[in-house]
Amino acid sequence: MSIRIQAVAEPFESADPEATREAVEALVLAEAMGLLRDQAVERLDLAAVRRVARAANEVGIGTLPTAALSRRLTSRELHGILRTLREALEHSPAPSREWAALLPLFGLEDLARLVGVSTASLRRYASEARPTPDHVAVRLHFLARVVAELKGPTTTWASDGGSSGGARPLAGRPRPRS
């Protein structure tokens, strides 16, 4: 998926800037979590936010925001619902989607090392042959959140998943020892 917002439509044209920020952060996090798969987002509008909410709902995240976004909302209600959606995404691992999103970015060995499992176990978890243990799902979700932060709403990523900056170069960077 690629987020390249080229247009902003109502309700975000006239919305509180904080509501717009919540929407963009939810979009970026949903992308990093693999929830939107290969869907492109070029327009920030209610339809794009509803897609995020529905995709999250499919994996058991954010049922309240999904339901609330189906009705007409005031600007204040919209801001609150978007904050609830973003927070639900931040606090809810979705390993079945996150493995698929992060494997192409980090590669098998690096991702296994980053989440603290063997490559054989990673393959089983990613293929859903075995359920991802909770402690591994939390680590994986943390990586998805880091990727979302590094991508941010202004970073341009190459079609091969790489960029001139971002998550991949940092993953293999040597750490200073104190």
Side-chain angles (χ1 to χ4, degrees), residues 38-141:
D38 293 326
Q39 298 178 43
V41 176
E42 295 180 350
R43 181 180 167 102
L44 180 60
D45 58 12
L46 207 47
V49 173
R50 285 178 176 145
R51 280 196 331 245
V52 168
R54 280 193 304 272
N57 198 9
E58 287 174 9
V59 294
I61 300 171
T63 55
L64 175 65
T66 305
L69 286 167
S70 65
R71 63 181 174 82
R72 190 167 182 84
L73 301 166
T74 66
S75 182
R76 173 172 274 177
E77 289 172 325
L78 178 64
H79 182 198
I81 292 300
L82 293 170
R83 183 178 51 249
T84 301
L85 175 61
R86 180 195 43 81
E87 289 173 352
L89 291 168
E90 284 181 351
H91 299 294
S92 303
S96 63
R97 300 284 180 89
E98 289 170 330
W99 288 121
L102 296 177
L103 257 170
L105 181 62
F106 290 105
L108 185 69
E109 279 99 29
D110 284 344
L111 186 55
R113 181 178 50 80
L114 288 166
V115 297
V117 300
S118 69
T119 56
S121 290
L122 188 151
R123 282 187 186 100
R124 286 190 289 272
Y125 303 147
S127 69
E128 297 184 55
R130 272 191 17 211
T132 302
D134 288 345
H135 70 281
V136 175
V138 167
R139 290 178 193 153
L140 183 67
H141 187 61

Side-chain angles (χ1 to χ4, degrees), residues 14-35:
S14 60
D16 169 8
E18 288 300 306
T20 303
R21 182 187 57 78
E22 295 284 1
V24 170
E25 287 182 7
L27 283 168
V28 172
L29 184 53
E31 176 189 23
M33 292 173 67
L35 295 178

